[in-house]
Amino acid sequence: MDKVKAKEIEKELKGKSFVGYTVINFIDNGKSSAVFKVKKNNNFFALKIFDNSLVEAIGHEVQIDRIEKEISLKGHNYKNLVKIYDGGKESISGKEYYYIVMEYIDGMNLGQYIKEKTYNQDFILNVFKRLYNLSEELLENNIVHRDIKPENIMITAQKRVVLLDLSVLKMVGETSLTDLDGKYFLGTIRYAPPEFLLREEKDDAKAWRAINLYQIGGVLHDLIMKNTLFYNKEPKAKLIFAIKEEMPLLNNSEYDYRLNQIAIDMLLKDPIRREELCSKDRIYNFFIKIKTPEPSYFDELNKLKIQNQKRVSLKEEIDNLQRNFKQKKEEREKIYKRILEIINDSFENIVNEKLCSTCSVSENFNYQDGGYENDYAVNNKMYILSGDITMGYLRDIMIIFKIINNEYGYCEIMMAGILPSNFLKYDMKDSPIDIIKSIKRESGGTVVNRSTIKRKSVTNLKPIILPFTDVFKGVICGDNQLEDIITSKIIRLLSRMLSQWDSSINSMMINNKNALMNNGSRISDRSSPIRTLLVSYDS
């Protein structure tokens, strides 16, 4: 309803009684209705009157269906959802209008709040938590809002968060008159995920949870970036293309990187990955962990000094034109190279900190890709770390990375470790797959879990294979952040693997202490533990 028509209705009703409520003044208008402040029994309420011309356009049955759904929530106990008191149809100047009477919220909508107020991270977290908990609670009762956006969220003077506008409410699994035409879009285009924009969403709880996550992610974007999602994408055709193909820029150093990360992950294009990545457990743990600063592994080690790197925004590199398969493949390769550079920088830091003498790297290879679809690139890299005995190295250490990514910046990075036996002969010209197969044959194909690693004799160091573990899973947010994560995980793995050899050396030296004392300083004795150690190392 346009403002002119809303003002005409205000002029007609102001000071008068409408279905038992005294109309005080006009509050605001939207595309389908206008809202007025009314009073009854010394209590204030909000009266929403729907545009009768729009009702004629979409049909009376559809409007009745919408109002009945809103009225069905009369007396609800959802803390952060606007309360509904009444609804129906009434005449104004001889014309029929549908209306809803609801709770009056004295405050400012979040869109205005972002533009006019200053706020901190705690405020953002409060809005996030209230919206997420409400959407989950509604979904548990088979209800979806379908139009979560800043303009439909009110913030009171006491910072209460209230979700408004239930006009496109839906019951999961129930076909309403509003949805008879599956191609008719409902809600707000700017905050709709691709599957909802195209009306290709599935009508089940997981699919609607994915849509809720995207819309809440859009609200978080506006709060973090202090700007509207896809604000520079006009006209409508450019906006639709951006929703389908472009990831928005979302990274503000003013806030904890974990908040930036979860917000961008909620805006992932793929609804299945989005819902899995932003699982209930992850979001639950996020609200617990975000209360305390993220611990730095580099502070604990007090060795690595990471230089700040210029953050390259992947989002600025995305083409505004429709990309074909070849272009998407090129974009995937570009992102993979970016990830690989970060991993290589991590190993360079390991060498600089003298945690190894040298680090060699293999060519790309593909090993057990796990059946990922064609939209994802899968690559492997082998790094071989060498050092002398003072660093704890009896043999080289092999670390294998598996890197999976798509063109939108989503990636999964996994890492495995191998302690080869002292009999294995190889060089970097050999195929990494052949090296791995040789090691697996030598170990009998056994993959050893961390809890089952046992001490090995120094003179017979059999191979130990540590399985792949997750290093990172999500949308790349910042290069220095990812390098921090990868470097710390490499150090943890390296420390664990070197400790196996340390244990073996210490055990042997203790067990052979008497023999060493009996032999005095002679190392020519073939049974000497020092000679045994050096022979084993040199072999």
Side-chain angles (χ1 to χ4, degrees):
M1 180 183 294
D2 61 47
K3 198 164 188 176
V4 174
K5 188 170 185 177
K7 285 291 187 179
E8 289 177 356
I9 294 176
E10 179 190 33
K11 185 177 180 181
E12 174 69 24
L13 297 180
K14 190 171 183 179
K16 298 178 182 177
S17 176
F18 181 83
V19 294
Y21 297 86
T22 302
V23 178
I24 298 174
N25 59 266
F26 165 74
I27 298 175
D28 200 3
N29 64 290
K31 64 181 181 181
S32 63
S33 60
V35 181
F36 302 86
K37 185 178 181 180
V38 297
K39 187 176 182 180
K40 183 178 183 180
N41 298 330
N42 293 322
N43 293 315
F44 294 110
F45 301 87
L47 170 68
K48 179 164 67 173
I49 297 178
F50 294 91
D51 190 339
N52 55 0
S53 61
L54 182 62
V55 172
E56 292 292 338
I58 65 175
H60 289 270
E61 285 185 308
V62 172
Q63 192 59 49
I64 292 171
D65 184 58
R66 287 183 177 181
I67 292 175
E68 286 178 348
K69 277 187 170 55
E70 292 194 51
I71 295 176
S72 70
L73 290 177
K74 183 177 178 179
H76 72 74
N77 293 316
Y78 302 113
K79 185 177 179 181
N80 297 101
L81 186 68
V82 64
K83 298 187 183 302
I84 305 297
Y85 297 110
D86 202 357
K89 184 169 63 172
E90 188 68 17
S91 294
I92 302 174
S93 299
K95 296 179 180 179
E96 296 289 332
Y97 286 87
Y98 288 97
Y99 69 90
I100 289 284
V101 179
M102 54 192 175
E103 177 185 6
Y104 173 71
I105 309 295
D106 187 11
M108 179 184 294
N109 79 55
L110 186 58
Q112 293 174 306
Y113 197 98
I114 291 170
K115 294 176 182 178
E116 300 178 17
K117 302 286 186 179
T118 57
Y119 50 86
N120 57 20
Q121 180 169 290
D122 287 341
F123 175 80
I124 299 176
L125 292 173
N126 181 57
V127 173
F128 180 14
K129 188 172 186 177
R130 302 301 175 188
L131 289 179
Y132 176 75
N133 288 343
L134 175 60
S135 69
E136 290 291 310
E137 192 177 358
L138 288 171
L139 197 56
E140 286 174 4
N141 291 285
N142 294 321
I143 302 170
V144 284
H145 186 277
R146 299 200 291 186
D147 198 17
I148 301 173
K149 62 179 180 178
E151 287 71 25
N152 283 342
I153 301 164
M154 290 293 289
I155 307 297
T156 70
Q158 295 74 34
K159 300 298 188 292
R160 182 188 170 208
V161 179
V162 185
L163 182 61
L164 309 178
D165 195 354
L166 311 180
S167 59
V168 293
L169 197 74
K170 175 178 171 57
M171 306 300 292
V172 178
E174 292 184 12
T175 302
S176 65
L177 292 172
T178 308
D179 296 310
L180 287 179
D181 181 1
K183 297 299 181 182
Y184 179 72
F185 176 73
L186 301 163
T188 305
I189 290 176
R190 188 174 301 276
Y191 296 92
E195 74 274 16
F196 189 41
L197 176 68
L198 302 174
R199 294 312 307 272
E200 294 175 349
E201 77 279 4
K202 294 181 180 179
D203 192 9
D204 60 42
K206 277 185 172 292
W208 285 114
R209 182 175 185 272
I211 291 171
N212 285 341
L213 288 169
Y214 186 97
Q215 292 187 336
I216 295 171
V219 173
L220 286 180
H221 169 279
D222 290 9
L223 282 163
I224 292 170
M225 300 305 292
K226 297 178 173 61
N227 213 338
T228 306
L229 183 65
F230 295 125
Y231 69 95
N232 58 344
K233 302 300 178 182
E234 298 294 345
K236 184 177 178 181
K238 284 188 177 180
L239 175 60
I240 291 173
F241 178 80
I243 292 169
K244 290 166 58 180
E245 295 293 332
E246 298 183 23
M247 288 298 292
L249 174 64
L250 204 165
N251 191 12
N252 186 344
S253 60
E254 182 180 343
Y255 305 116
D256 191 305
Y257 79 86
R258 291 169 292 180
L259 177 59
N260 291 318
Q261 185 69 58
I262 203 165
I264 193 66
D265 287 349
M266 291 171 78
L267 292 170
L268 196 62
K269 304 296 181 185
D270 184 339
I272 296 175
R273 297 279 182 191
R274 184 194 315 139
E275 201 274 336
E276 290 176 350
L277 188 60
C278 302
S279 65
K280 293 181 181 181
D281 284 345
R282 180 191 175 186
I283 294 182
Y284 174 78
N285 289 326
F286 167 81
F287 285 121
I288 294 175
K289 293 179 179 178
I290 197 71
K291 294 177 182 178
T292 57
E294 179 77 351
S296 171
Y297 299 121
F298 303 99
D299 289 339
E300 295 172 6
L301 292 169
N302 198 24
K303 290 181 178 179
L304 299 181
K305 299 174 183 178
I306 305 300
Q307 297 293 330
N308 288 331
Q309 295 182 336
K310 182 180 179 181
R311 296 186 175 189
V312 179
S313 174
L314 172 63
K315 294 82 191 175
E316 294 176 349
E317 297 174 3
I318 298 178
D319 258 328
N320 292 324
L321 301 175
Q322 182 67 45
R323 292 168 298 177
N324 57 28
F325 176 80
K326 180 179 178 182
Q327 289 172 314
K328 288 186 176 183
K329 184 178 179 182
E330 290 173 352
E331 193 66 33
R332 286 196 291 270
E333 291 174 355
K334 186 188 298 182
I335 294 168
Y336 166 67
K337 289 179 181 178
R338 175 183 169 195
I339 296 168
L340 194 58
E341 286 175 1
I342 295 170
I343 294 175
N344 289 339
D345 286 345
S346 295
F347 278 102
E348 185 177 338
N349 287 328
I350 299 295
V351 175
N352 290 340
E353 289 297 329
K354 296 185 172 28
L355 299 180
C356 69
S357 297
T358 62
C359 176
S360 305
V361 59
S362 73
E363 296 297 323
N364 285 355
F365 65 100
N366 193 282
Y367 181 68
Q368 297 178 347
D369 65 10
Y372 276 80
E373 51 264 46
N374 291 332
D375 289 341
Y376 291 83
V378 182
N379 292 280
N380 292 84
K381 275 282 186 179
M382 175 184 284
Y383 293 83
I384 300 181
L385 280 62
S386 302
D388 61 32
I389 196 167
T390 63
M391 296 177 178
Y393 287 79
L394 298 182
R395 292 288 293 162
D396 294 344
I397 287 178
M398 299 175 179
I399 298 179
I400 301 170
F401 274 83
K402 180 186 287 185
I403 303 160
I404 301 148
N405 67 279
N406 68 8
E407 65 270 22
Y408 298 115
Y410 173 83
C411 73
E412 297 177 13
I413 303 174
M414 288 161 276
M415 178 175 64
I418 297 176
L419 292 170
S421 75
N422 51 333
F423 299 113
L424 182 68
K425 303 297 180 182
Y426 61 88
D427 61 42
M428 289 309 294
K429 295 179 182 178
D430 295 333
S431 162
I433 294 178
D434 290 341
I435 295 175
I436 295 169
K437 286 180 178 178
S438 296
I439 293 170
K440 293 192 80 172
R441 279 197 300 269
E442 197 174 4
S443 67
T446 304
V447 177
V448 182
N449 293 322
R450 302 173 195 171
S451 60
T452 61
I453 296 176
K454 298 180 180 178
R455 292 177 178 177
K456 304 295 180 180
S457 167
V458 174
T459 58
N460 187 20
L461 292 176
K462 294 181 179 180
I464 297 175
I465 305 172
L466 300 181
F468 278 107
T469 56
D470 289 336
V471 175
F472 177 83
K473 183 183 288 187
V475 179
I476 301 174
C477 192
D479 287 4
N480 58 344
Q481 167 200 335
L482 186 56
E483 185 180 333
D484 188 332
I485 293 169
I486 292 171
T487 307
S488 63
K489 293 293 179 70
I490 294 171
I491 291 173
R492 280 182 167 186
L493 179 63
L494 186 59
S495 175
R496 188 164 63 250
M497 297 173 80
L498 288 174
S499 69
Q500 302 308 310
W501 281 331
D502 288 343
S503 298
S504 298
I505 295 170
N506 292 335
S507 176
M508 189 209 72
M509 294 299 288
I510 291 170
N511 292 338
N512 291 279
K513 182 178 180 181
N514 291 333
L516 179 63
M517 292 176 66
N518 292 335
N519 289 329
S521 60
R522 290 176 300 149
I523 64 170
S524 59
D525 189 342
R526 293 183 180 275
S527 65
S528 165
I530 294 179
R531 182 172 181 81
T532 302
L533 176 63
L534 293 176
V535 169
S536 172
Y537 180 68
D538 290 338
S539 67

